[in-house]
Amino acid sequence: MPAAPHSERIDRIYCTLSAVSRALVKAQSHQEFLSQVLRDLVEVGGFSMAYVARYRADTAQLVPAAQCGDSLGYVDRLQLFGDDRPQGQSPEGTAFRTGTESICNDLLNDPRASLWHEAAIASGWKSSAAFPI
């Protein structure tokens, strides 16, 4: 699919931010807020899939807390960590450790993503972006 024109992308960003603001006001719980924000990212923002992981200090693992758009179970196949071990080199682990965004434009060929090639192929994902929140 060709990229949307710049004005359409900006409009989609503003619509998504507005939807997230509505979720913040309406949500009755933290989990409800997370679920609605992820739905908004997929349905309004145009992302194929979105999820939030929580860090478990006792294991250093990044554990999925909520997701939307992952009908093929990609998130369930992942074993991600927030430390320097090989399973911590994913975009998610890198974003967690560095506190900045981490983008992988080619999950199937980037050597940093080699541990997740099979899961990406099985789910049809080709790129990934992670943002610390």
Side-chain angles (χ1 to χ4, degrees), residues 22 30 34 48 63 84 92 107 116:
R22 279 193 305 278
H30 181 71
L34 285 179
S48 299
V63 180
D84 287 327
E92 297 88 341
L107 283 174
W116 302 280

Side-chain angles (χ1 to χ4, degrees), residues 45-69:
F47 290 90
S48 299
M49 186 264 289
Y51 78 99
V52 171
R54 289 196 176 108
Y55 179 70
R56 288 193 49 185
D58 60 329
T59 63
Q61 194 166 8
L62 298 171
V63 180
Q67 65 89 14
C68 182

Side-chain angles (χ1 to χ4, degrees), residues 43-117:
E43 295 170 4
V44 179
F47 290 90
S48 299
M49 186 264 289
Y51 78 99
V52 171
R54 289 196 176 108
Y55 179 70
R56 288 193 49 185
D58 60 329
T59 63
Q61 194 166 8
L62 298 171
V63 180
Q67 65 89 14
C68 182
D70 182 21
S71 62
L72 297 175
Y74 176 73
V75 172
D76 295 332
R77 289 187 187 94
L78 302 178
Q79 188 174 26
L80 305 173
F81 290 83
D83 57 16
D84 287 327
R85 71 182 85 186
Q87 297 92 340
Q89 304 309 307
S90 65
E92 297 88 341
T94 301
F96 177 80
R97 277 192 321 284
T98 65
T100 62
E101 72 278 348
S102 179
I103 298 170
C104 179
N105 287 315
D106 191 354
L107 283 174
L108 304 182
N109 295 302
D110 190 322
R112 297 172 300 157
S114 63
L115 295 174
W116 302 280
H117 286 173

Side-chain angles (χ1 to χ4, degrees), residues 4 11 21 24 27 42 47 95 107 110 126:
D11 186 50
S21 294
L24 182 59
V42 171
F47 290 90
L107 283 174
D110 190 322
K126 296 179 181 172

